[in-house]
Amino acid sequence: MSSLRELYQEVILDHNKSPRNCKEIANATHHADGHNPLCGDKIKVYLVIEDNVIKDVSFIGSGCAISTASASLMTESLKGKSESEARHIFERMHTLLTDEHEPESIAGLGKLAVFAGVREFPMRVKCATLSWHTLMAALNRKGSEDGPATTE
């Protein structure tokens, strides 16, 4: 188990050091701002959704290693997914991070499973879920029509 834990730590550190899809999307159809006042993490999530499919997703912001890695891995996992698939992945991630019992299918989450150990550190759960809650705020409110959504 310790070798698996080390691999998970390497993935988190890699995504923190070199976050993927860390950029502003000028033509985003959806966006939202998120803030974790407990540790100061701030994020903005951008989505380009066409025909109910996430064509592009990105984030900008500042945060701890877990927050940044979570946002980076989230963006990688959502490109090409439908809105409904994105909501399903959110639910599975929320369960992974908050359920005290081992979720039934970590394997189905791919690289996102690296966050399974975070639930052992309750103060870090908000760091790992910030980008996901911000994603949901973006999906629920179109930034170009309704103004930015905020999650705190």
Side-chain angles (χ1 to χ4, degrees), residues 8-22 41 43 59 61-77 93 111-112 114-115 118 124 127-129 131-132:
Y8 286 179
Q9 287 175 347
E10 285 179 33
V11 171
I12 289 171
L13 291 173
D14 177 51
H15 277 266
N16 177 56
K17 184 177 178 182
S18 301
R20 281 55 154 192
N21 305 302
C22 187
D41 295 345
I43 188 172
F59 75 100
S62 60
C64 67
I66 291 174
S67 177
T68 301
S70 182
S72 177
L73 283 157
M74 177 190 76
T75 62
E76 283 194 329
S77 70
M93 280 299 294
K111 286 184 180 179
L112 295 172
V114 301
F115 295 102
V118 171
R124 303 312 301 264
C127 301
T129 59
S131 60
W132 293 92

Side-chain angles (χ1 to χ4, degrees), residues 21 23-32 44-59 74-75 78-83 86 134-135 138-139 141-144:
N21 305 302
K23 63 184 179 185
E24 189 173 334
I25 299 177
N27 64 335
T29 57
H30 298 65
H31 62 88
K44 185 165 193 163
V45 172
Y46 299 91
L47 298 162
V48 175
I49 299 177
E50 296 173 7
D51 299 324
N52 196 36
V53 174
I54 298 172
K55 299 290 185 180
D56 202 3
V57 54
S58 70
F59 75 100
M74 177 190 76
T75 62
L78 294 178
K79 280 189 183 179
K81 300 283 194 288
S82 69
E83 287 186 58
T134 307
L135 163 74
L139 285 173
R141 298 180 68 183
K142 294 183 180 180
S144 59

Side-chain angles (χ1 to χ4, degrees), residues 91-128:
E91 290 299 329
R92 293 192 61 212
M93 280 299 294
H94 192 265
T95 299
L96 175 77
L97 291 163
T98 60
D99 192 344
E100 64 186 53
H101 299 80
E102 194 69 23
E104 291 178 15
S105 178
I106 288 179
L109 287 172
K111 286 184 180 179
L112 295 172
V114 301
F115 295 102
V118 171
R119 72 174 170 269
E120 296 173 26
F121 306 95
M123 292 299 294
R124 303 312 301 264
V125 169
K126 286 192 178 231
C127 301

